[in-house]
Amino acid sequence: MAYHNILLSKEEKIASITINRPESLNALNAVTIKELSIALDELEKDTEVRVIIITGSGEKSFVAGADIKEFIDFDQEKAEQLAINGQASVFNKIENLSKPVIAAINGFALGGGLELAMSCHIRYASDNAKLGLPEVTLGLIPGYGGTQRLPKLVGKGLANEMIFSAKMISASRGKEIGLVNEVFPITELLIKTKELAKTISNNSPMAISKAIIATNLSDTDKGFETEIKSFGELFELNDKKEGVSAFLEKRKPNF
């Protein structure tokens, strides 16, 4: 498919999705959401892709939020449908994808942009990144999962502070509170992100897929049960046999 608002590239086992609307600081509009959804479906089916990186074009912005012009006149029904569709087609899809998704936050990650990053499994940020949920300044609240994912990452108190105040925080503060994993100079961000993706891509894709499911259920009463069942199921799969054989033979596994 020919994309207009995103760039999709693949290198060995790693795919990169770049949101490419620099004129609007890579804000999410309906077309971008649709293209992200289609690209994620494509990469989920691509057996050669082990890890996905999501970033924004340029050095100013990851995603500066949703494109407010598109929904300024919505009524309640349309607004709720916007949130339902966005969460189902992109944000929840990323969180539940069978392959790890890493956000490379290269600048502003505000509103829907921070929600996009939070839906990813891992977040690396550049040292110029600014993170925030400014929705209450518009008389709104986050609608793409921000009120649900932020407390799980940083705790309820800090999440409330960020959401109620609408203040932006720095990347270094984001690392302090657990919102981002690591912070790098902007020139090193993609290099370091790809290094991590490469390391992950060499591990068992089946085990990682099971781990994603289990960790996503870690705050529910099904977490331990899922971990135990997945642990057992992996003993019947070739990845476990290859991994154990490689360990005993003192060689790198070939998954």
Side-chain angles (χ1 to χ4, degrees), residues 2 17 38 110 130 189 193 224 233:
I17 299 174
I38 294 170
L110 305 176
K130 299 292 184 182
L189 176 63
T193 305
F224 282 103
E233 288 173 345

Side-chain angles (χ1 to χ4, degrees), residues 51-169:
V51 185
I52 300 166
I53 296 170
I54 297 180
T55 192
S57 61
E59 297 185 351
K60 291 183 178 180
S61 181
F62 173 69
V63 171
D67 198 329
I68 297 170
K69 297 188 298 294
E70 287 197 338
F71 59 79
I72 192 170
D73 295 322
F74 277 18
D75 59 15
Q76 178 178 344
E77 182 179 355
K78 287 184 178 179
E80 289 181 4
Q81 199 59 50
L82 177 76
I84 290 169
N85 292 341
Q87 290 196 34
S89 65
V90 173
F91 298 83
N92 292 349
K93 184 179 288 186
I94 289 172
E95 185 174 51
N96 295 301
L97 214 66
S98 69
K99 304 172 184 185
V101 183
I102 307 172
I105 306 170
N106 56 314
F108 291 112
L110 305 176
L114 182 54
E115 290 174 298
L116 179 64
M118 288 192 293
S119 71
C120 296
H121 304 107
I122 299 168
R123 284 157 294 283
Y124 275 7
S126 58
D127 54 10
N128 69 322
K130 299 292 184 182
L131 318 169
L133 295 172
E135 285 85 352
V136 296
T137 67
L138 303 173
L140 300 171
I141 66 169
Y144 286 145
T147 65
Q148 304 304 299
R149 293 190 175 97
L150 187 58
K152 294 175 184 177
L153 291 168
V154 306
K156 189 175 179 180
L158 287 172
N160 285 341
E161 181 180 346
M162 286 185 65
I163 293 169
F164 300 168
S165 71
K167 291 192 295 186
M168 291 187 292
I169 65 171

Side-chain angles (χ1 to χ4, degrees), residues 237-250:
L237 302 180
N238 289 331
D239 277 11
K240 175 263 178 183
K241 297 172 184 176
E242 168 61 16
V244 172
S245 295
F247 176 80
L248 295 175
E249 295 166 12
K250 297 182 180 180

